[in-house]
Amino acid sequence: MRASEDQLRLWMIGGLDGDSRAYTALLDALVPMLRSFFARRLRGATEDVEDLVQETMIAIHTRRASYDRDRMFTAWAYAIARYKMIDHFRRRRVTLPMEGLEDILVAEGFEDAASARMDVDRLLGGLSAKQERIIRQTRIEGLSTAEAAARGDISESDVKVSVHRGLLAMAKRLAGGS
């Protein structure tokens, strides 16, 4: 079973804080993820896949201090993998047709997800703590109005009003009305 983004990030942070078990769990989880990442892009080049997995694991280990704890771990790890693959192509002088190049270099959509997550965080950051929490619960986590109300120990109408006002404030900011 593949580890979630949150679990990978927690293991990475644990490893940075000196938890060797967390760091070992992270490295164990990364091997199949990287193997799959490279195998889809290097179709049939099993030896190259294993070499790239090892090179990437070493790079992740040696560059672990550069990881920003507030960012998505997978976006950071896949960026390293992508650069290792580009280096591999350069060493081998592999030429690729321009069509399809993006499919090879894209890192599983995590850059888009990381960017979207930062945009959402930035938008929600301008709201009151209550509005931010309730919008995250109802619009991102998928809680119902009743569930969010129970979790926050507030009324359902308070949840609805907070969501409505928060979304209006975000829309106004997006339209440039601060």
Side-chain angles (χ1 to χ4, degrees):
M1 185 170 112
R2 188 172 168 174
S4 71
E5 166 65 29
D6 290 335
Q7 184 61 64
L8 293 168
R9 189 173 158 276
L10 288 173
W11 283 334
M12 179 63 168
I13 291 170
L16 291 172
D17 291 339
D19 183 346
S20 62
R21 286 185 184 163
Y23 194 62
T24 299
L26 172 71
L27 297 178
D28 288 343
L30 281 176
V31 171
M33 289 173 58
L34 292 171
R35 192 174 285 137
S36 175
F37 175 84
F38 291 123
R40 280 193 300 277
R41 287 155 179 81
L42 300 175
R43 299 171 191 97
T46 308
E47 290 176 11
D48 291 340
V49 168
E50 292 305 315
D51 289 346
L52 283 168
V53 168
Q54 292 305 312
E55 287 178 33
T56 303
M57 295 292 286
I58 291 167
I60 286 171
H61 176 73
T62 58
R63 292 179 180 91
R64 68 188 182 278
S66 72
Y67 172 66
D68 180 348
R69 295 168 184 244
D70 296 327
R71 304 279 186 196
M72 290 181 67
F73 172 76
T74 50
W76 179 79
Y78 280 125
I80 292 172
R82 190 177 63 248
Y83 286 117
K84 287 297 171 186
M85 187 172 54
I86 291 168
D87 290 344
H88 167 78
F89 289 152
R90 284 183 183 141
R91 281 192 310 269
R92 304 273 186 187
R93 303 242 187 258
V94 172
T95 57
L96 300 170
M98 290 307 283
E99 63 279 345
L101 182 61
E102 184 177 305
D103 294 336
I104 292 172
L105 297 181
V106 81
E108 307 301 316
F110 285 108
E111 286 93 348
D112 294 339
S115 177
R117 186 176 185 176
M118 287 186 283
D119 290 343
V120 168
D121 289 344
R122 203 171 306 123
L123 272 175
L124 290 174
L127 301 176
S128 71
K130 178 181 169 186
Q131 288 172 337
E132 178 182 354
R133 183 184 76 248
I134 292 173
I135 289 174
R136 280 189 190 281
Q137 290 173 349
T138 59
R139 297 298 194 255
I140 298 172
E141 295 174 25
L143 294 182
S144 69
T145 301
E147 291 168 329
R151 186 182 281 184
D153 198 28
I154 58 177
S155 70
E156 288 184 43
S157 61
D158 194 2
V159 169
K160 291 175 186 178
V161 168
S162 293
V163 168
H164 178 73
R165 289 181 180 164
L167 293 176
L168 281 177
M170 289 188 326
K172 185 177 179 182
R173 229 175 339 153
L174 283 172
S178 285

